[in-house]
Amino acid sequence: MTQKVFFFGDGRAEGTREWKDLLGGKGANLAEMTNIGIPVPPGFTISCPMCDAYLSTGAVPDGLRDEVEAAIGRLEQSSGRAFGATENPLLVSVRSGARVSMPGMMETILNLGLNDDTVQGLARQSGNPRFAWDSYRRFLQMYGEVVLGASAHLFESLLAAKRMVSDVKTDAEVPVELLQALVIEYKALIRSHTGRPFPMDPREQLWGAIEAVWRSWMIRRAVDYRRQYSIPEAPGTAVNIVAMVFGNLGADSGTGVAFTRDPSTGEQRFYGEFLVDAQGEDVVAGIRTPLPISKMAELWPGPYAQLMHVQETLEKHFTDMQDLEFTVERGKLFLLQTRNGKRTVGAAVRIARDMVREGLISQGEAVRRVQPNQLDQLLHPVIDTGRGHVPLATGLPASPGAASGMAVFDADVAEGHARKGEKVILVRDETTPDDFHGIVAARAVLTARGGMTSHAAVVARGMGKCAVVGCGALKVDAVHRQVSVGDTVVKEGDWVTVDGASGHVYVGDLPTQPSEVMRVMLGELPADRAPVYQAYSEILGWADGARRLRVRTNADTPQDARQARQFGAEGIGLCRTEHMFFEGDRITAMREMICAHDEAGRRRALDKLLPMQRSDFEGIFEAMDGLPVTIRLLDPPLHEFLPHGGGEEAKILARTLGLTRQELTHVIESLRETNPMLGHRGCRLGITYPEITEMQARAIFEAAANVTTRGVTVHPEVMVPLVATHREFSNQRAIIDRVAAEVARETGVTVAYLTGTMIELPRAALTAAEIAGAGAQFFSFGTNDLTQTTLGLSRDDAGRFVPFYVEQGVFATDPFQVLDVNGVGKLITHAVREGRSVRETLKVGICGEHGGEPRSIAFCHAQGLDYVSCSPFRVPIARLAAAHAALE
């Protein structure tokens, strides 16, 4: 029979940290800590597949109850207490623990096993009746919310009334007699909500909690979290049942959360918070503002010294920054959890670089530790602190970055605004896991309560969202949807700015300045004064040494090219020539060409465009000195260059071109297409109007010749767009070769060049051997159009339903964001294989939006492509993702 339950305790565990698929991250790490001698309360883990089985059938898997009962017996023996006994009762926590850490997304229940009899035994055992009744009311509230579905605010209202009656500010000050009365009220509330009394049988309580944890795998916040981080649905979550240790026994007890390094900056210092006379949920929920971990050395020097030794041991053992949960029970330290800590990207690059220097990890492992998509955050702007803006309030800088948006006070409202493309800041007294979808939608999070390890702080850091927490000056009024500081009132819809680096909060939409990394690149900050830039630069240097794929950029101007080169681009994979025609006199000359009555008229207009294009290409070649530049010939349909409708712009254009309004209208109408994406565009224009291809080829080769004489090394690659047949390619290549030869004779400068095509139609992919045989020296997969033509989807219109498809599981991901490997990917695989079967030296790359997406880059690496090309700001991401693909 396959084992379903795994025990840990007494210095031995059934499992190790390698068993995460079976025991979940929490269970595997509890087992590992037990095995290496860390003080962990005894307990057992119900394996992850049991969750999958339960959710599939709705029933507890066969044989599991017997294994759990046997594990309870071992737990009683290990702890010296009895589950359900009135004297010396064993209480347990029931907690989730998925294979991939999902902090706060699923359910936890503490103090399970308490009832009207065992609470008396706990009071006698501890000698502290207040502690016993405080534990009981906590258990009733957690169980009532998580298992029985009663609303949290109903319990909180009753608790708030007790604070008011006793004239105290915190729950820890409510006297025992009022806690006893509160227990009676809580049980009445549960009976009113469920129609039956609270279960007094500890075993009934236990199975109710286990099933609730399993069900929490499918609650909205957990599903949203998995979707956000691409976490698989199977095999579900493990359930960890652990003997309770108590931080709410008095002044010699407490609980805390700590990180072995600063999760915001990456600085090598022990970092955390704790509360005296509290249980763990008090810290992460932000219910009370905690004390800094350094204060623990004064209050409890013995447990603090032990904690310092434990955190050093765990970081060296797991070779990563650890996020710890601990409890001190009457001066004795217990570790409740360790996991790799969530961190900002600035902290991630510093920690990874520093751990290489400390000999803990290799350079390759350091590269793997930094997630490619995170790098984007290092390039984001920050608040310009030199403008003299006065903050409205200051809280704890939980997650760096800067963001402005409309203040909103509800997660659903935040999501609604974000769907309309509006920028919002989620403002809450404190966040709960149920606010996760609002945090995803918001540009930043602002809370009045909570510490640096609160739910809002941890989740925001993990997502790279700006966050300020524990801003005590804020008076959040969620009912009236406003927040006030003194006489200043900010209502929903008013703009606020949040600075996650300083903790400052401002009224209005404040200006920003470049980030540290960008300031170094712009020459505004010396590199030796930029620790994040130094670590970023080293990590990317190691990544460049590990990767095989080259990384180019999509750039249409010299400025874009220069910036991309600063980001590490190794050439241009897509230069869109049509973008050069939309400015100033160029658009007029372009329109003159389109409206010409004959070839002679078109050539006169093209003669005006030639020097403009030549100048642009010279600038780009100079910016990319020594690197390849792929230039795509004119691609969009001609109607895109003409005004739509008959407004003032059309009137002025007709006069400029010497046409009547009727003549211009006739031209516009003659170019109108039912489906322009599949219409008269790309190479079809060059074949119909060969003079367009001639002009563009001449501009390319004259520019190359001119800069060559100035000492610039050029590697032009001319790309023919939207080829469906080898004959189309042959037609355009003949023009390109003829013009190249003419320019070489005229200038005396022979420039080596490549001619290739963009593969963006399924037929081109399927007949790749024929196209390569017709002389194509490179293929560049235009995956934006290839996705559209393969799936029969319009990228502009699919946004109406593709999100629903993803939500319903019809599509695993949006195919315009992540490459459709099973469809588009098979066409790419076929085209690469067929093309190289004819031309072994065929250069192959990708230049769609997928060229900057890590999962798509991994596919490109696996298929043997030579390069990916993406927008300038995605170049660092692509460099790191290409290294990840090679290292994996």
Side-chain angles (χ1 to χ4, degrees):
M1 182 181 69
T2 302
Q3 186 175 352
K4 305 174 180 66
V5 177
F6 299 80
F7 191 82
F8 54 88
D10 302 323
R12 291 181 295 109
E14 297 173 331
T16 72
R17 64 177 174 176
E18 306 299 331
W19 292 26
K20 288 185 178 181
D21 286 347
L22 185 65
L23 304 181
K26 188 175 297 176
N29 286 350
L30 285 169
E32 187 76 8
M33 286 195 291
T34 301
N35 287 331
I36 65 174
I38 301 297
V40 175
F44 58 91
T45 300
I46 300 172
S47 66
C48 293
M50 295 302 98
C51 175
D52 216 13
Y54 173 81
L55 293 175
S56 297
T57 65
V60 175
D62 292 342
L64 181 59
R65 291 183 186 273
D66 292 339
E67 285 197 45
V68 168
E69 194 61 35
I72 290 173
R74 293 182 66 180
L75 189 54
E76 290 176 325
Q77 185 178 1
S78 178
S79 65
R81 299 174 180 175
F83 191 53
T86 55
E87 296 300 326
N88 199 23
L90 168 66
L91 305 183
V92 297
S93 63
V94 180
R95 307 177 76 185
S96 62
R99 181 174 60 84
V100 178
S101 177
M102 297 170 56
M105 293 301 111
M106 290 176 292
E107 303 295 9
T108 293
I109 299 168
L110 306 180
N111 308 320
L112 189 142
L114 280 172
N115 58 30
D116 291 349
D117 296 324
T118 55
V119 69
Q120 302 288 353
L122 185 63
R124 288 190 294 272
Q125 173 196 355
S126 65
N128 186 340
R130 191 199 175 281
F131 147 73
W133 288 94
D134 179 54
S135 299
Y136 195 11
R137 71 92 188 165
R138 289 171 181 268
F139 171 51
L140 286 167
Q141 180 168 351
M142 280 190 174
Y143 201 93
E145 292 177 25
V146 172
V147 181
L148 304 177
S151 297
H153 74 89
L154 298 175
F155 292 101
E156 288 295 337
S157 296
L158 294 173
L159 180 57
K162 293 295 180 285
R163 288 197 299 266
M164 186 180 301
V165 168
S166 51
D167 194 26
V168 298
K169 291 184 178 180
T170 68
D171 303 342
E173 299 170 282
V174 176
V176 64
E177 60 273 12
L178 290 183
L179 291 175
Q180 291 170 330
L182 187 61
V183 164
I184 294 171
E185 292 174 17
Y186 276 5
K187 288 190 292 184
L189 171 61
I190 289 169
R191 178 186 279 273
S192 172
H193 178 78
T194 64
R196 59 190 183 91
F198 179 80
M200 290 292 159
D201 179 1
R203 281 169 172 77
E204 182 183 348
Q205 295 172 359
L206 178 61
W207 281 103
I210 290 170
E211 292 187 43
V213 169
W214 283 334
R215 289 193 300 271
S216 73
W217 182 250
M218 297 307 299
I219 59 179
R220 175 177 178 172
R221 62 180 185 250
V223 172
D224 286 347
Y225 191 93
R226 291 196 296 276
R227 185 177 299 128
Q228 178 75 16
Y229 291 102
S230 302
I231 298 171
E233 293 291 325
T237 180
V239 183
N240 300 284
I241 292 94
V242 184
M244 282 295 303
V245 289
F246 300 99
N248 56 331
L249 274 165
D252 61 351
S253 303
T255 187
V257 175
F259 296 83
T260 56
R261 305 194 186 210
D262 190 320
S264 291
T265 67
E267 185 181 350
Q268 191 177 5
R269 67 183 182 96
F270 191 44
Y271 174 98
E273 299 167 326
F274 75 106
L275 286 169
V276 177
D277 194 17
Q279 288 197 328
E281 291 300 298
D282 296 345
V283 179
V284 296
I287 293 170
R288 289 162 56 189
T289 299
L291 301 170
I293 200 73
S294 57
K295 190 74 175 176
M296 187 175 164
E298 303 173 21
L299 295 177
W300 307 323
Y304 180 75
Q306 187 182 7
L307 180 62
M308 290 299 291
H309 173 71
V310 165
Q311 66 94 15
E312 184 177 352
T313 299
L314 288 174
E315 182 173 277
K316 287 182 178 177
H317 184 77
F318 286 95
T319 64
D320 201 353
M321 185 262 278
Q322 293 298 291
D323 170 1
L324 316 174
E325 290 184 26
F326 66 90
T327 286
V328 175
E329 180 184 271
R330 289 184 167 163
K332 185 176 181 181
L333 176 71
F334 294 91
L335 267 289
L336 307 181
Q337 173 171 282
T338 190
R339 61 190 174 196
N340 294 339
K342 301 291 183 183
R343 65 206 76 179
T344 66
V345 64
V349 294
R350 289 186 67 178
I351 290 170
R353 188 274 312 273
D354 290 349
M355 285 190 167
V356 172
R357 292 181 175 180
E358 295 160 25
L360 290 175
I361 60 175
S362 66
Q363 291 181 0
E365 180 60 26
V367 169
R368 282 194 291 262
R369 289 276 174 91
V370 182
Q371 293 306 306
N373 276 330
Q374 286 185 306
L375 286 186
D376 194 38
Q377 299 159 28
L378 289 180
L379 311 178
H380 288 176
V382 296
I383 297 295
D384 185 352
T385 55
R387 300 288 187 97
H389 302 290
V390 178
L392 173 69
T394 300
L396 300 173
S399 185
S404 299
M406 297 184 295
V408 297
F409 299 87
D410 177 90
D412 291 335
V413 174
E415 187 177 54
H417 281 293
R419 281 177 176 166
K420 295 184 284 187
E422 297 170 345
K423 299 174 182 178
V424 295
I425 308 295
L426 181 62
V427 183
R428 303 284 279 162
D429 202 32
E430 76 247 10
T431 64
T432 70
D434 288 332
D435 291 319
F436 179 75
H437 61 292
I439 298 174
V440 172
R443 301 192 73 221
V445 183
L446 172 62
T447 70
R449 294 160 62 182
M452 296 287 278
T453 56
S454 65
H455 173 266
V458 171
V459 172
R461 270 197 299 272
M463 296 176 62
K465 296 271 184 181
C466 169
V468 171
V469 302
C471 193
L474 300 179
K475 305 300 178 188
V476 179
D477 184 347
V479 175
H480 296 96
R481 298 188 179 276
Q482 63 183 36
V483 61
S484 59
V485 178
D487 295 331
T488 302
V489 177
V490 176
K491 296 183 178 180
E492 188 160 273
D494 292 345
W495 278 66
V496 294
T497 297
V498 176
D499 183 357
S502 66
H504 294 330
V505 182
Y506 303 87
V507 175
D509 184 3
L510 266 59
T512 59
Q513 65 180 11
S515 67
E516 176 186 305
V517 170
M518 289 301 300
R519 289 179 65 203
V520 173
M521 290 184 176
L522 294 170
E524 298 175 359
L525 179 68
D528 59 4
R529 290 172 49 200
V532 172
Y533 173 81
Q534 292 172 21
Y536 159 89
S537 182
E538 265 190 273
I539 292 288
L540 280 180
W542 296 336
D544 291 340
R547 64 186 166 87
R548 180 190 60 78
L549 274 174
R550 300 297 91 193
V551 177
R552 299 191 190 184
T553 190
N554 302 338
D556 309 325
T557 67
Q559 180 182 353
D560 287 346
R562 284 190 291 270
Q563 185 167 65
R565 194 159 189 173
Q566 280 189 308
F567 286 136
E570 298 161 305
I572 291 178
L574 176 62
C575 175
R576 292 156 288 210
T577 55
E578 62 269 11
H579 288 185
M580 302 172 178
F581 294 140
F582 283 99
E583 298 176 6
D585 293 340
R586 303 172 181 219
I587 189 64
T588 302
M590 187 66 181
R591 288 169 170 175
E592 183 180 333
M593 188 272 294
I594 294 168
C595 295
H597 295 296
D598 52 26
E599 180 182 336
R602 286 192 294 274
R603 287 189 179 278
R604 283 194 297 271
L606 289 168
D607 286 343
K608 297 178 183 178
L609 288 169
L610 173 62
M612 302 175 189
Q613 281 242 293
R614 184 174 58 228
S615 175
D616 288 332
F617 292 144
E618 287 182 15
I620 289 171
F621 287 145
E622 288 171 342
M624 283 290 164
D625 185 5
L627 297 176
V629 177
T630 302
I631 299 170
R632 183 180 71 185
L633 300 179
L634 187 65
D635 184 48
L638 297 179
H639 74 85
E640 289 192 9
F641 297 93
L642 297 176
H644 302 287
E648 187 64 24
E649 186 182 5
K651 182 179 179 181
I652 295 172
L653 177 60
R655 188 164 56 246
T656 302
L657 298 180
L659 301 174
T660 65
R661 287 286 299 277
Q662 290 78 10
E663 288 174 324
L664 179 59
T665 300
H666 174 73
V667 172
I668 293 172
E669 288 299 320
S670 69
L671 294 174
R672 192 182 304 277
E673 295 178 298
T674 302
N675 190 348
M677 191 196 83
L678 300 178
H680 194 192
R681 52 168 286 220
C683 68
R684 300 161 189 173
L685 286 172
I687 292 170
T688 308
Y689 305 119
E691 56 271 18
I692 297 177
T693 301
E694 289 175 10
M695 183 278 290
Q696 292 200 289
R698 178 166 287 277
I700 292 168
F701 294 120
E702 287 183 355
N706 290 346
V707 299
T708 297
T709 61
R710 299 199 290 267
V712 175
T713 301
V714 293
H715 300 288
E717 300 177 351
V718 185
M719 183 158 67
V720 181
L722 207 72
V723 162
T725 77
H726 66 92
R727 293 183 182 86
E728 288 175 317
F729 177 77
S730 296
N731 175 286
Q732 292 294 281
R733 185 187 176 189
I735 297 172
I736 294 164
D737 289 346
R738 172 171 55 78
V739 173
E742 290 172 0
V743 172
R745 286 194 300 272
E746 294 163 9
T747 62
V749 178
T750 299
V751 175
Y753 65 95
L754 299 180
T755 308
T757 185
M758 180 179 277
I759 304 290
E760 48 198 323
L761 296 173
R763 192 183 192 284
L766 294 171
T767 60
E770 293 180 1
I771 296 172
Q777 296 165 293
F778 68 88
F779 289 166
S780 180
F781 291 97
T783 52
N784 298 342
D785 277 0
L786 188 56
T787 297
Q788 293 192 94
T789 54
T790 301
L791 274 73
L793 290 175
S794 164
R795 185 173 54 165
D796 297 330
D797 300 319
R800 299 174 185 175
F801 63 88
V802 164
F804 179 79
Y805 265 40
V806 173
E807 186 177 318
Q808 296 296 311
V810 178
F811 287 165
T813 56
D814 183 336
F816 292 108
Q817 295 181 16
V818 181
L819 189 71
D820 167 33
V821 171
N822 290 328
V824 176
K826 288 181 178 178
L827 289 172
I828 292 174
T829 301
H830 176 85
V832 172
R833 183 179 63 246
E834 292 296 302
R836 285 181 173 163
S837 71
V838 174
R839 184 180 295 274
E840 289 185 10
T841 59
L842 185 74
K843 186 183 295 187
V844 184
I846 183 175
C847 62
E849 290 296 317
H850 302 98
E853 197 281 316
R855 284 168 287 181
S856 307
I857 291 169
F859 171 81
C860 294
H861 171 86
Q863 300 309 309
L865 270 66
D866 297 296
Y867 68 87
V868 296
S869 188
C870 55
S871 62
F873 277 85
R874 301 290 291 181
V875 166
I877 295 168
R879 290 165 64 191
L880 188 57
H884 276 225
L887 291 167
E888 292 299 327

